[in-house]
Amino acid sequence: MKKSYMKFLIMTAVAIFFSGNIFAAENKADAASVERYAIYIGSNIGGNNRQLLYAGTDAMAFQNTMADIGGIRKSNSVLLLDPAKDDVDEAMEYISQLIVKNKFNAKRSEFVFYYSGHSDENALLLGNNTYDYSSLKAAITKVPSDVHVVILDSCYSGNFIRTKGGQKQKPFLVDDSSVIKGHAYLSSSSSQESSQESDEIGSSFFTNAMITGLKGAADSSGDKKVTLNELYSYAFSETLSRTENSSAGPQHPNYNITLVGSGDLVLSDISGSDCILTLSKELNGRVIIRDKNEKLISEISKTQAAPVYLAMEEGQYGVTVISEKVTLQGSFELGAKKNYVLSNSNLSPVARTANRFRGEEPKEKAEPENAAVHDSENAMFVPFVFSFFDNEFYRNTGKDIVTNFALGLFRSEVYQTDGVMLSFIANQTKVLNGAQFAYIFNIADEVYGAQFAGIFNHAKDVEGVQAAGIFSHAENVKGVQASGWVNIADDVRYCQAAGLVNVASGKITGVQGAGLINYAGNVDGVQGSGIGNVSLSDVDGVQGAGIFNIARGNIDGVQGSGIFNVAVGKVDGLQASPIANYARHVDGAQIGLVNICSGDVEGLQFGLINFSRNGIFEFGMSYTTENNMRFTLTSGNKHIYSVIGCQTEVGYMTSNSDSDDKYAEIIFGLGTRLEAGMFNFDFEAYGNEFLSKDESKENKIKSEYYPSARFAVGLNPAKHIQIFAGAMASFEFDGNRDAFAGKKNHFTVELSDHDVKMHPEFELGVKFVLH
């Protein structure tokens, strides 16, 4: 008996041992392939009055980037700001224990050590402490991870790479499916160079390039993943190009990579980002992206005819693209879980400004920036020019005629006018520093003054006034463009006014006013017209029209019209019209008969019918204790919604048409909702219009108004069904007693010495949830 019992125990122990190992093996097979850990250090203080501004924010930005798209959970990382040496050692001990604890959860562990701060030729400078490179490298090596990635953004950090323990080699990287070991050391500068930070970008050049690269700019293969090799190549090129003309001299990042394996070590995955900005393949040049506060976010040189994918945060951005021939500008908004494609069609050309090169010798007498050079070989200055039909005499000289006064009985043409041009038919000049007057038309490339014509004006750039009886055209207007019929321009700053139509294919900064229609690419000011306004992008200001407003971008201001408003983007302000409003997202308010939002409403909708993706849109019917059938449409959001509907006695629908007791009621009101799981609680206030037959007038309907209130409890047993029970109270007083005389009132509560009566009513019904 004892032998059988011992045999049973031994067999049970063996079974438990093998089953435990099998279970562990299965768990290990299902474990994640890579587990990553990190220490991020930002040290602004370096002792001996050494002070940086952006080391701390660089460390925080690097941590956030790696948490978002680099696969390093914040629970697996430590952030140290202005630490002492002991703090760094404690952080490495903590990470080491974490790696040991989780060693069976992944087939490979990776450790990232990031430092932004002060250093010299021998050590990191941590306030009043130092951490010499040899000791630091030994401490990092003791961290029990398979791969060590060290990123140092500090002066002379190249000396860390040269310290005993590593030799610079050609990068040999691996992907996350390989079994590898080794290290990768990256430094922001060589052993003899300073590392530099910039007030413009609010960061160091090297860290800014690293973060921009991790977010997708370094992805040269277009697979939405950034490898260590891609990142180093991008950071090296960007850091060098942005520091080569600095007073501190060029900055050359260095590396020391010794990894055993095959493939590429992937550091970030862009596809995992909540928001992605795609730079289309035809977009080329220097792409500069700023947030709504004008802070520089990214600056990327895009030269390949392939798309570039950038991981971004949700928000509003402005962008400038500088190519060899043209400068483009525009704005866009990134929403959660959205991929926005930026292409040339989203941007508008802008005029380039002329700058003086550093080192240029000053002239004894500077010419106006807009003036032609009078003493050039091809220029001839003539104080007064007269022509009957044309200035053929001066044209035959082969010179560019520059004059102070040009008079043409029919047509006057000179190269440059620094005064006045008068002509019965036409004036033509390249540069006008003054005024043109013509009965028919004026033509100029650059206008610094005024053009006045009876029919039309044409200019490339206008700084001043362009006024015509019928038509004015210019590419860029800095001033006023006014005509009796039509104005056309690319960009307008200040004012565009026409009797019929204004067109600004670029941006309006100021006022656009027309009798019929205004059209603009982007509005930063006011659009006002008798019929309609159209903006192809954002409106930061006001759109006001007699009939309609359309904005294909965002509204950060007011959209008001006589019939309808459309905002294809987001409304962060007010949309108001008597008939209808439409927007994709609403963070402000919509006021109209019908308000539609295809996305979410975080603000308010005021109207009879309101629709939004996260709002209330319900059709209900109920039976009340006063033998009434009640039909309602509830729409809006839970904070405030509208109710329209009707109710009538059941006998109204079944009795013959000659019955004298027929009546109907129209319901309109507002409500608010509280939600608790499957239940909701509605509080509503109504104005009711009681309609009944007027006994004193044949075939006439009389109406009376009275207020009422309602409270209801709803239960949602299914997605599109709600069952509810409610209690209503109608209020009778001297001004509306006829409304209650014609309807049945089983319950009456007298209030205020019989002057006010309350009529309670109860209902049970069902609602169909239609959104």
Side-chain angles (χ1 to χ4, degrees), residues 749-770:
V749 178
E750 295 184 353
L751 306 173
S752 182
D753 296 331
H754 309 288
D755 290 330
V756 178
K757 296 180 180 180
M758 182 180 72
H759 301 281
E761 191 173 1
F762 302 93
E763 66 173 337
L764 183 65
V766 62
K767 284 186 177 182
F768 301 95
V769 181
L770 304 179

Side-chain angles (χ1 to χ4, degrees), residues 267-557:
L267 289 184
S268 64
D269 187 349
I270 314 307
S271 61
S273 175
D274 282 344
C275 307
I276 296 179
L277 173 65
T278 302
L279 305 181
S280 62
K281 64 179 182 180
E282 70 271 11
L283 197 69
N284 281 291
R286 192 74 179 173
V287 181
I288 302 169
I289 301 172
R290 298 180 184 272
D291 64 13
K292 64 180 181 180
N293 298 319
E294 296 297 319
K295 180 184 177 182
L296 182 65
I297 301 300
S298 296
E299 186 172 346
I300 304 162
S301 291
K302 186 178 181 300
T303 57
Q304 296 180 346
V308 173
Y309 306 97
L310 300 177
M312 304 279 286
E313 293 182 357
E314 185 177 355
Q316 296 178 346
Y317 298 90
V319 61
T320 300
V321 180
I322 304 172
S323 64
E324 183 179 351
K325 296 182 179 180
V326 67
T327 297
L328 304 173
Q329 283 186 346
S331 61
F332 61 91
E333 179 179 8
L334 285 177
K337 307 296 182 182
K338 297 294 183 182
N339 184 350
Y340 184 88
V341 179
L342 184 67
S343 63
N344 291 332
S345 61
N346 305 124
L347 305 171
S348 302
V350 296
R352 296 190 177 187
T353 57
N355 296 318
R356 180 178 288 107
F357 292 105
R358 290 189 173 184
E360 181 181 13
E361 293 294 330
K363 299 177 182 178
E364 293 184 3
K365 182 179 180 181
E367 293 287 345
E369 188 178 284
N370 56 328
V373 183
H374 292 177
D375 57 355
S376 67
E377 294 181 359
N378 201 46
M380 176 180 176
F381 179 72
V382 180
F384 174 79
V385 172
F386 170 78
S387 61
F388 187 75
F389 288 102
D390 212 339
N391 59 339
E392 291 292 339
F393 172 78
Y394 300 105
R395 183 178 293 177
N396 291 336
T397 64
K399 298 288 187 178
D400 291 332
I401 303 302
V402 180
T403 186
N404 288 331
F405 185 81
L407 174 64
L409 296 183
F410 288 92
R411 182 172 181 268
S412 183
E413 179 183 356
V414 293
Y415 176 78
Q416 178 172 318
T417 303
D418 294 334
V420 177
M421 293 187 76
L422 296 172
S423 176
F424 181 76
I425 294 180
N427 293 309
Q428 186 171 351
T429 186
K430 184 175 180 64
V431 180
L432 175 65
N433 295 308
Q436 282 180 321
F437 299 88
Y439 280 105
I440 306 298
F441 66 90
N442 294 307
I443 295 177
D445 279 1
E446 301 174 36
V447 175
Y448 304 92
Q451 279 184 318
F452 300 98
I455 296 181
F456 76 91
N457 293 308
H458 168 78
K460 184 176 180 182
D461 296 303
V462 176
E463 288 192 17
V465 178
Q466 194 182 44
I470 295 180
F471 174 77
S472 291
H473 174 264
E475 291 187 12
N476 299 292
V477 177
K478 187 178 181 181
V480 177
Q481 192 183 42
S483 68
W485 288 11
V486 179
N487 291 313
I488 295 178
D490 287 347
D491 294 313
V492 178
R493 181 178 296 181
Y494 302 131
C495 183
Q496 197 180 38
L500 297 180
V501 178
N502 288 313
V503 176
S505 58
K507 183 175 183 179
I508 287 288
T509 306
V511 177
Q512 196 182 38
L516 296 181
I517 293 176
N518 290 311
Y519 173 94
N522 183 278
V523 178
D524 190 358
V526 177
Q527 264 189 328
S529 70
I531 293 181
N533 297 307
V534 177
S535 173
L536 291 183
S537 187
D538 298 339
V539 175
D540 294 322
V542 177
Q543 268 190 326
I547 296 180
F548 69 89
N549 292 306
I550 296 175
R552 293 186 62 187
N554 302 317
I555 300 292
D556 191 358

